[in-house]
Amino acid sequence: LPSCVRLCIMFGRRFFSLLRSEVPSAAGGSSSGLQRFALNLNRITLMGTVMREPKTFTNQETKKATVYVSLATQDSNKDEAGNWVNRSHFHSISVTDPYLIEYINTKNVTKGTVLFVEGMMNYKKIKDRKTDTDKIVSEVLLKQFHGTMRVVVNAPEGGASHTPEDQEDQKSSEYVF
């Protein structure tokens, strides 16, 4: 298995063993970890291909940078006729962690790069300029100490899609806190 998949499996096993363990409660008894932690988890994990060049914006008031990355994931299933159908899902990634912004710049995250991303699900209200209405959009937020990013496969030179042969030739790089 690829190292990022092994990492997900190890993290999942450790996390759910914590949820099943007994935790002493403030009332003197004990409660299950599931009751204690279940309402405090906001985590999303994605692995997909960067669809366009990351865009960097700087807030004029706070002078803090934000990088927006568009990530596409795919899944496949069989339809009623028994044929395989591929579906693409597009995700907006918002990076505010200065170390991850530096990582994006130093690892040359460009269109076609395959990324492993863990962050928080966030919803925000934006104003649609065409219809002059408010819309609620979802994004994966990687703020400081609440997100990780890993380049799984660097983008090929011509920006072509990845093949299994390309993945074997590329080395993974990791961002560690």
Side-chain angles (χ1 to χ4, degrees):
L1 290 175
S3 59
C4 61
V5 174
R6 285 192 305 249
L7 177 69
C8 289
I9 293 170
M10 290 184 329
F11 174 75
R13 286 181 185 156
R14 176 69 180 135
F15 179 74
F16 288 111
S17 69
L18 285 173
L19 289 180
R20 287 191 298 268
S21 65
E22 292 293 318
V23 178
S25 69
S30 66
S31 63
S32 72
L34 184 59
Q35 292 171 345
R36 181 171 178 234
F37 292 111
L39 298 176
N40 298 321
L41 183 63
N42 180 2
R43 168 84 56 202
I44 183 166
T45 304
L46 298 170
M47 189 165 79
T49 305
V50 176
M51 294 308 295
R52 58 179 93 107
E53 298 297 323
K55 295 181 182 178
T56 304
F57 296 97
T58 304
N59 187 333
Q60 298 299 327
E61 296 172 7
T62 62
K63 305 293 185 209
K64 291 187 179 181
T66 302
V67 175
Y68 293 99
V69 179
S70 177
L71 196 72
T73 58
Q74 288 186 341
D75 66 352
S76 57
N77 55 357
K78 287 189 177 182
D79 61 4
E80 294 83 21
N83 300 322
W84 284 99
V85 178
N86 291 328
R87 294 186 329 183
S88 295
H89 304 277
F90 299 95
H91 310 277
S92 176
I93 314 292
S94 176
V95 183
T96 59
D97 182 356
Y99 299 106
L100 285 176
I101 292 172
E102 182 181 339
Y103 179 76
I104 290 171
N105 294 329
T106 59
K107 292 298 179 184
N108 296 325
V109 174
T110 58
K111 180 180 179 179
T113 303
V114 177
L115 289 179
F116 176 82
V117 176
E118 277 189 315
M120 298 171 49
M121 196 69 195
N122 188 38
Y123 300 94
K124 63 181 180 181
K125 190 188 313 187
I126 62 168
K127 189 112 174 149
D128 187 4
R129 293 180 185 169
K130 293 180 182 176
T131 61
D132 199 36
T133 59
D134 289 337
K135 290 186 177 181
I136 297 177
V137 296
S138 62
E139 65 181 359
V140 178
L141 180 62
L142 279 71
K143 61 183 186 178
Q144 195 163 13
F145 307 118
H146 291 281
T148 59
M149 179 180 290
R150 179 178 180 166
V151 173
V152 179
V153 180
N154 287 326
E157 288 293 321
S161 63
H162 294 285
T163 63
E165 293 81 22
D166 293 337
Q167 293 178 5
E168 291 174 7
D169 295 339
Q170 298 289 333
K171 290 185 179 179
S172 294
S173 57
E174 184 173 0
Y175 174 76
V176 180
F177 281 96

